[in-house]
Amino acid sequence: MKKSVLVINLLICLFFGSTEMEAQGTFQNPNEIEVTESNFATVEALTNVGKRSYHLNNTGELDVSKAMQAIFDEISAIEDASATVTFAPGVYYLNAPVRIKIASIKLIGNGHGGIDIHGANLKGGTIFRFGQKSGPYCITFDYAGRSKAFPSGESPWYNQNLKVELENLSFVGYNNTGVNTADGYSRFRGDEPNFRGLHWYPAKDRYANVEEEGQRAIVLPKAPKGKGVAKCELLRVTGCYFTELYVGIEIADCDVSYINKNWFGQLTYGIRLAGNGQGMMVSDNLFADLETAMVLGKPIFSTFHDNTFAYISKCFEIDNIVNSTITGNSVFNWKISTGAAAYGSFCYIKESNGLNVSGNSITQHIDSRKRTRTIDMEPNGQSFIQFDNSERLMFSNNIIQTLISQTVVRLNNSNNCVVTDNIITYGDGGNAVAETGNSKFNFYRPVDLKKSLQFDVFKY
């Protein structure tokens, strides 16, 4: 009897021992984040109570999600924690979601802040690579409070807040589009780009429910309800790279956001704002090979300027925008660009008040029709540029070069709007600007290239 028990115990030990050994080969144990002679520091956290160093595997060969979670849990346990966390160059593979519950947090990468998996096939800088099981919310920033108010010192203080900054980081998803770009191609091998001619919306039947399963790299959730005030106060994203994701940045609501000098490529959506976005500033970003660059709920006194878009289905989808500007953006969809570019639109704005759209340069070399998404077979009746329910819209000094054989710019149920001095070209059967629905008191002045004042005499 004793012999049988010993044998059973031995088998159990062997089974669990081998399982543990197997697991050790796939993920970094959270107990192994301490810096030693063999495990050098790859993560440094500067906190309000001093500096801490950690070892997080940066080879991309081990799942470090549990170890990374342990690091952030340790930091969040600091009373009134604030932290700047710096990551060494390398690949940090995450195959489970990570949640960061710190009211004030900044993450910084090092080295060349980007990747080129569709050409040079080189990795560089600090890369977070998400495995299949890390979604749908890969890195979520959660709300946290403070023991007392500043500077009044009032205590207890029930306010929960969220302020997030990201700098020089790359986020690579688990190929959420269904297009085989993960293997990449190399122009140095003379390969044909394997994503040309394909759509940037998840392949049919890839997901049971893409909204529930599609990966979001960065998530700012809705503020919790309960005692006290809770809000997302600040988001700043600079010099970051997002690719192979369903959504790059998912925001519930945010008081102030600065999103600039980033690259969004090979995604379904670049930035999505579900609710209010007061003081939203999105500028100097590149959006390429996307279904839709920005889907925005209600940006208020916000600016979207000097961004570049290429090979993209849609630039802006906005529910309601107030006292804001869309200026100085450049769009280039050429005739042999990706399938996504075949179904283009610059903007579809459902409601606006006090919006200025000016100084944009837009080139669409395909006779496209606006779809809800790139896989839709039929057009939905919307124009390439469409404003519904607009009040006091200024649309001026834009250059719009298209081959579109329908209305290029449409004002629908819009009042007190001005459309002036735009250069708009279109294909056979098309026209520049149309007013539909219950629209009134709108002013339209086209550029007539056949009529001009005489030029001055040249002098030298």
Side-chain angles (χ1 to χ4, degrees):
M1 184 72 177
K2 288 182 179 178
K3 186 175 180 182
S4 299
V5 172
L6 286 171
V7 169
I8 291 169
N9 285 338
L10 179 61
L11 288 171
I12 290 172
C13 288
L14 286 171
F15 174 77
F16 282 106
S18 63
T19 304
E20 181 65 23
M21 286 175 64
E22 246 184 302
Q24 286 294 330
T26 57
F27 75 93
Q28 179 181 345
N29 193 311
N31 296 324
E32 296 178 349
I33 58 177
E34 183 180 351
V35 175
T36 65
E37 287 187 6
S38 57
N39 291 336
F40 57 93
T42 56
V43 179
E44 292 188 339
L46 184 62
T47 77
N48 48 310
V49 296
K51 186 176 180 180
R52 303 184 180 199
S53 297
Y54 304 94
H55 170 74
L56 200 62
N57 183 283
N58 64 343
T59 66
E61 298 174 2
L62 297 180
D63 175 12
V64 300
S65 53
K66 293 181 181 179
M68 182 182 285
Q69 187 67 63
I71 291 172
F72 286 116
D73 287 348
E74 181 178 308
I75 297 170
S76 67
I78 299 170
E79 185 177 13
D80 297 339
S82 292
T84 297
V85 183
T86 304
F87 293 82
V91 179
Y92 300 87
Y93 175 61
L94 304 172
N95 201 27
V98 172
R99 198 171 194 92
I100 303 171
K101 190 176 178 62
I102 302 171
S104 178
I105 181 76
K106 181 171 184 175
L107 308 185
I108 302 176
N110 277 291
H112 167 60
I115 53 174
D116 183 2
I117 59 174
H118 305 302
N121 299 96
L122 299 175
K123 63 185 179 185
T126 300
I127 299 172
F128 292 146
R129 186 169 189 181
F130 302 120
Q132 187 175 9
K133 298 178 181 178
S134 64
Y137 308 116
C138 298
I139 300 178
T140 300
F141 292 89
D142 204 354
Y143 296 78
R146 289 286 189 266
S147 60
K148 58 185 177 181
F150 176 83
S152 69
E154 182 182 344
S155 182
W157 187 246
Y158 298 105
N159 181 288
Q160 291 190 63
N161 207 286
L162 184 56
K163 294 187 283 289
V164 177
E165 293 195 32
L166 307 172
E167 182 179 325
N168 207 35
L169 299 162
S170 295
F171 302 92
V172 182
Y174 180 73
N175 199 293
N176 272 238
T177 62
V179 182
N180 181 26
T181 56
D183 295 332
Y185 77 98
S186 176
R187 61 177 63 91
F188 301 102
R189 291 196 305 257
D191 295 354
E192 287 294 323
N194 61 9
F195 55 87
R196 296 297 178 194
L198 299 174
H199 304 308
W200 290 107
Y201 197 84
K204 188 178 180 181
D205 301 325
R206 174 153 191 166
Y207 299 101
N209 186 324
V210 68
E211 272 300 307
E212 292 183 359
E213 301 173 51
Q215 283 183 328
R216 290 88 159 155
I218 300 301
V219 179
L220 276 63
K222 198 157 188 66
K225 294 181 179 179
K227 192 171 184 178
V229 179
K231 67 174 181 176
C232 179
E233 191 166 28
L234 172 71
L235 171 66
R236 186 189 298 272
V237 184
T238 303
C240 292
Y241 297 74
F242 299 85
T243 189
E244 304 294 338
L245 296 152
Y246 183 59
V247 184
I249 304 173
E250 186 87 85
I251 309 165
D253 302 276
C254 188
D255 262 14
V256 179
S257 52
Y258 306 84
I259 302 175
N260 54 39
K261 297 180 175 63
N262 305 288
W263 177 70
F264 298 84
Q266 293 82 42
L267 302 97
T268 304
Y269 302 106
I271 302 166
R272 293 204 307 188
L273 168 72
N276 292 327
Q278 299 86 252
M280 191 174 194
M281 289 158 275
V282 181
S283 65
D284 303 289
N285 301 287
L286 169 65
F287 298 88
D289 293 308
L290 282 89
E291 158 62 33
T292 307
M294 286 176 256
V295 179
L296 308 173
K298 190 175 182 180
I300 306 169
F301 57 91
S302 297
T303 65
F304 305 90
H305 63 91
D306 299 318
N307 300 286
T308 55
F309 304 85
Y311 324 134
I312 187 167
S313 176
K314 293 176 285 295
C315 298
F316 299 96
E317 294 270 3
I318 304 177
D319 285 345
N320 189 356
I321 184 168
V322 180
N323 297 340
S324 299
T325 63
I326 300 174
T327 58
N329 300 286
S330 176
V331 183
F332 187 67
N333 285 336
W334 66 319
K335 59 184 178 181
I336 58 171
S337 50
T338 63
Y343 312 115
S345 76
F346 177 61
C347 67
Y348 172 45
I349 298 175
K350 299 176 185 177
E351 189 172 349
S352 69
N353 197 321
L355 175 63
N356 178 16
V357 181
S358 62
N360 300 287
S361 179
I362 303 162
T363 300
Q364 179 80 2
H365 279 165
I366 301 168
D367 186 7
S368 61
R369 293 290 187 275
K370 168 74 167 54
R371 268 84 163 169
T372 303
R373 59 192 190 198
T374 58
I375 60 172
D376 291 340
M377 299 303 295
E378 299 296 330
N380 55 21
Q382 294 166 8
S383 296
F384 182 73
I385 296 172
Q386 180 157 331
F387 304 95
D388 289 348
N389 309 302
S390 286
E391 291 285 342
R392 289 177 290 278
L393 164 73
M394 171 67 76
F395 187 86
S396 65
N397 300 105
N398 299 286
I399 301 171
I400 308 167
Q401 181 181 0
T402 78
L403 300 176
I404 295 172
S405 56
Q406 66 174 133
T407 296
V408 178
V409 180
R410 178 186 181 191
L411 273 62
N412 183 52
N413 296 329
S414 298
N415 304 304
N416 304 304
C417 301
V418 174
V419 179
T420 61
D421 300 333
N422 301 285
I423 301 175
I424 303 173
T425 61
Y426 45 86
D428 292 340
N431 64 326
V433 181
E435 179 186 67
T436 61
N438 185 22
S439 296
K440 57 186 178 181
F441 307 128
N442 298 317
F443 177 78
Y444 173 42
R445 182 178 66 207
V447 171
D448 188 345
L449 297 177
K450 295 179 181 178
K451 295 180 180 179
S452 172
L453 295 176
Q454 289 186 340
F455 285 94
D456 293 339
V457 176
F458 173 66
K459 297 178 181 179
Y460 62 93

